[in-house]
Amino acid sequence: MSKTIMKENIEKAQVEIEAKESAVKNGRMRQDFHFMPQTGWLNDPNGLVYYKGQYHYFYQFYPYAGFWGSVHWGHAVSSDMLRWKHLPPALAPSEAYDDHYLGGCFSGSAIEYNEKLYLMYTGVTNNGDGLEQCQCIAWSEDGINFEKYEGNPVIAAPEGVPKDFFRDPKVWCHRDTFYMVCGTKKEDKGQALLYKSKDMIHWEYFNVLAESRGEWGYMWECPDFYPLGDKYVLMFSPMGAQERKCVYLVGDFDYRTGKFFYNISGEIDWGLDYYAPQSFLAPDGRRIITGWANGWEWMPHWKDWGPMYREGWSGFFALPREVILLEDNTLSFKPIHELEQLRSDPGTENNLLIGEGKYQVKNTGCSCEIKMLINLEKTTSRKVKLELRENNTRKAVVLFDFQKAEMCFDRTCADGWSTGIARSEINLKNKQYLDIHIFIDRSSIEVFSNNYQNNMTCNVFSDETQTNNYIVPENGELYIEKLETWNIENVLKVMK
């Protein structure tokens, strides 16, 4: 009976998607080159995996409206992470452990095992004593049609862990054993719990992989754990850690004890709209992450859930990024090289000396890519402002303050919808150059700088008249050794 219920719920969701897709796809806020749902609501990426020759994106999904609701798993496949084919939802609420209207099939991950694709996800329900979260299994022979394990849930919240704070399993395999890390809290301090299994079905608690001492918030959402070079990386999105939204820790892991010892910490993205990134391995060995270009704590600032909601959809992913381990064991997050296929109408200017006033960046518009290399030794200005998506009355401003060694993204005058200012420190000590790389889409701006270590993703819901981009030095001259631009508007809108 339960198989029939999930199938019926997926078919019902697919009917809703197909009925609304044509109206939604022409929405003014729809992105040109970011992944987004056909219709309805999207949040966390789930189950990112390369399986049988294709990349699979699963994602938190409510197909019936552009706001959060009973959670399904949306599903799409691609051969290049640019052109996506949407498939029917992979999971829908259908069982006693995942069928509550404020619950459903919460976040999780995917892994190939015995030629099948296994999904591990958090089921959320309410049996009259508040929300309860547990870990569940589903699998597929073809990577499209999934069946839930009849013995679910496979892991319930352990003693001492709040039943409504036990979620987001990320699974991997080491030698002949499966391991899973999930997020929780204890005494209002975030934790990542570690489990292990020989068959993906029978799990035993192993250890506390890592935990907050008070500096990383009261709950760790969407933890991810993976090897990189000779180190291990733990990522998570801490709740209650103020501006820290996507933390990474780098250190060493002992499979005998199940304990992670870290000595490096950093932020994946300092912007206002980046949350719950998940990693996966590309077939060439690259570790790639994708994150939700939004976040819970600042979404209420939008009026009526923002302009996307009014178009019958909400949410998209930030651009995929390759995770790179640097010599000092810090991380950089570089947009994947596949994005270069989107470039058209290239423009290059060399050895630009820009004084007081506004310098208009040529060959840009609503969707474009901009790269610049600033020579700090030949620059006398104390600050430089990048005025992006400008039309005289509205603009987003990215400020680089060379004296304070600070980067600031201010979108308070950008669109009439968004609020908030994001800040981060940039390491300029003993550096001759500062690199800046920007991707501008219809509803977002992603800024990468300082060897892709200081990154900011912010949603900016501009209109069609906001097509100008300017460089504005302050108190001196700015020396740009190389300025490159690419117009993306003339390329096929590959993700629609």
Side-chain angles (χ1 to χ4, degrees):
M1 179 65 71
S2 61
K3 295 180 184 179
T4 302
I5 294 173
M6 186 168 85
K7 182 179 179 181
E8 290 175 349
N9 289 345
I10 287 174
E11 290 174 349
K12 179 182 176 183
Q14 188 63 19
V15 169
E16 182 77 6
I17 294 166
E18 293 173 359
K20 295 181 176 179
E21 181 181 10
S22 60
V24 170
K25 71 178 181 181
N26 295 317
R28 184 168 64 86
M29 298 299 167
R30 296 288 282 179
Q31 296 277 64
D32 283 345
F33 58 95
H34 286 73
F35 178 83
M36 56 192 167
Q38 295 157 285
T39 182
W41 165 272
L42 167 151
N43 59 286
D44 301 355
N46 300 153
L48 308 185
V49 68
Y50 187 81
Y51 175 71
K52 292 188 176 180
Q54 289 184 308
Y55 295 99
H56 290 251
Y57 270 8
F58 300 92
Y59 53 93
Q60 298 287 270
F61 182 45
Y62 182 61
Y64 297 100
F67 53 81
W68 185 87
S70 180
V71 179
H72 298 54
W73 272 36
H75 189 193
V77 293
S78 173
S79 61
D80 58 8
M81 290 181 281
L82 299 177
R83 300 164 181 85
W84 290 93
K85 176 184 178 182
H86 286 275
L87 299 174
L91 297 176
S94 63
E95 312 304 315
Y97 52 80
D98 68 10
D99 66 350
H100 192 258
Y101 74 100
L102 292 178
C105 305
F106 274 23
S107 295
S109 53
I111 192 169
E112 183 176 358
Y113 175 46
N114 286 341
E115 299 186 356
K116 297 178 183 179
L117 186 59
Y118 277 70
L119 305 182
M120 192 171 194
Y121 71 97
T122 298
V124 183
T125 192
N126 189 326
N127 293 310
D129 190 27
L131 293 179
E132 299 181 14
Q133 300 176 352
C134 58
Q135 314 317 321
C136 307
I137 295 291
W139 60 73
S140 171
E141 301 275 357
D142 58 9
I144 299 174
N145 301 290
F146 288 85
E147 175 183 341
K148 294 177 182 176
Y149 172 51
E150 62 183 13
N152 280 336
V154 295
I155 309 175
E159 185 177 352
V161 169
K163 292 186 293 185
D164 57 340
F165 284 90
F166 179 60
R167 55 182 176 265
D168 311 333
K170 178 62 190 288
V171 63
W172 75 97
C173 185
H174 178 72
R175 297 179 178 170
D176 62 347
T177 303
F178 295 98
Y179 295 85
M180 182 275 287
V181 60
C182 65
T184 185
K185 70 173 185 177
K186 185 175 183 180
E187 298 176 352
D188 279 337
K189 294 180 181 179
Q191 283 187 331
L193 300 185
L194 183 64
Y195 289 77
K196 61 182 180 178
S197 170
K198 289 293 185 179
D199 60 3
M200 282 293 296
I201 298 297
H202 301 91
W203 292 86
E204 62 177 297
Y205 171 74
F206 193 7
N207 207 342
V208 176
L209 180 71
E211 58 189 333
S212 174
R213 295 160 297 195
E215 76 277 45
W216 302 122
Y218 65 83
M219 167 67 185
W220 288 359
E221 290 201 298
C222 302
D224 195 342
F225 192 64
Y226 52 87
L228 195 66
D230 61 351
K231 296 294 180 180
Y232 271 80
V233 177
L234 175 64
M235 306 188 309
F236 54 89
S237 289
M239 299 175 69
Q242 298 179 348
E243 78 277 8
R244 309 304 294 269
K245 302 178 183 72
C246 295
V247 171
Y248 74 80
L249 309 176
V250 180
D252 300 303
F253 177 61
D254 187 346
Y255 274 102
R256 295 172 301 174
T257 63
K259 201 69 178 176
F260 175 57
F261 303 92
Y262 64 90
N263 55 10
I264 297 290
S265 66
E267 191 79 9
I268 298 168
D269 192 297
W270 288 96
L272 298 166
D273 298 296
Y274 195 88
Y275 199 77
Q278 186 172 113
S279 80
F280 64 101
L281 272 179
D284 59 7
R286 288 176 295 164
R287 176 65 61 170
I288 295 172
I289 62 169
T290 298
W292 176 35
N294 222 308
W296 297 112
E297 293 183 3
W298 49 101
M299 280 197 69
H301 293 299
W302 295 359
K303 302 165 187 174
D304 301 326
W305 295 84
M308 291 183 293
Y309 159 75
R310 297 177 176 222
E311 297 179 354
W313 70 289
S314 185
F316 50 87
F317 287 168
L319 295 176
R321 307 172 186 182
E322 180 183 358
V323 186
I324 300 170
L325 181 69
L326 303 178
E327 289 185 0
D328 61 358
N329 289 331
T330 60
L331 303 181
S332 70
F333 304 90
K334 186 175 182 179
I336 59 172
H337 64 73
E338 285 87 347
L339 291 164
E340 295 175 7
Q341 299 176 42
L342 300 176
R343 294 173 174 174
S344 68
D345 303 327
T348 303
E349 298 180 77
N350 295 311
N351 301 315
L352 285 174
L353 186 63
I354 305 173
E356 295 287 337
K358 299 172 73 169
Y359 181 86
Q360 184 166 8
V361 182
K362 305 175 182 65
N363 194 46
T364 61
C366 293
S367 298
C368 61
E369 181 183 356
I370 302 170
K371 290 184 74 173
M372 66 182 74
L373 186 65
I374 296 174
N375 188 315
L376 297 172
E377 293 183 351
K378 295 181 179 181
T379 290
T380 60
S381 62
R382 298 177 181 179
K383 303 176 183 178
V384 59
K385 287 196 301 184
L386 306 179
E387 298 182 353
L388 307 176
R389 296 298 300 271
E390 190 265 4
N391 73 342
N392 295 322
T393 60
R394 296 193 184 280
K395 60 189 174 185
V397 176
V398 182
L399 174 68
F400 291 87
D401 189 320
F402 303 133
Q403 283 193 321
K404 293 183 179 180
E406 183 180 76
M407 174 181 173
C408 171
F409 195 121
D410 184 348
R411 64 179 186 184
T412 56
C413 297
D415 55 27
W417 291 94
S418 304
T419 62
I421 299 174
R423 299 180 186 275
S424 68
E425 295 179 352
I426 50 176
N427 181 13
L428 299 178
K429 185 178 180 181
N430 299 323
K431 290 191 175 181
Q432 182 180 354
Y433 295 100
L434 174 64
D435 53 288
I436 302 173
H437 194 177
I438 302 170
F439 288 86
I440 299 176
D441 206 341
R442 299 276 167 173
S443 294
S444 66
I445 298 174
E446 290 173 73
V447 182
F448 303 86
S449 69
N450 199 27
N451 192 26
Y452 301 97
Q453 290 192 283
N454 287 82
N455 312 314
M456 289 191 179
T457 297
C458 292
N459 295 343
V460 174
F461 302 108
S462 309
D463 63 35
E464 295 290 338
T465 68
Q466 294 177 240
T467 60
N468 299 316
N469 299 288
Y470 294 96
I471 301 171
V472 187
E474 295 184 5
N475 301 317
E477 295 180 322
L478 179 72
Y479 191 92
I480 302 178
E481 284 205 359
K482 191 172 187 178
L483 175 64
E484 298 176 277
T485 60
W486 295 272
N487 191 308
I488 296 177
E489 293 180 57
N490 297 327
V491 175
L492 174 68
K493 293 178 174 58
V494 295
M495 291 189 179
K496 282 197 172 183

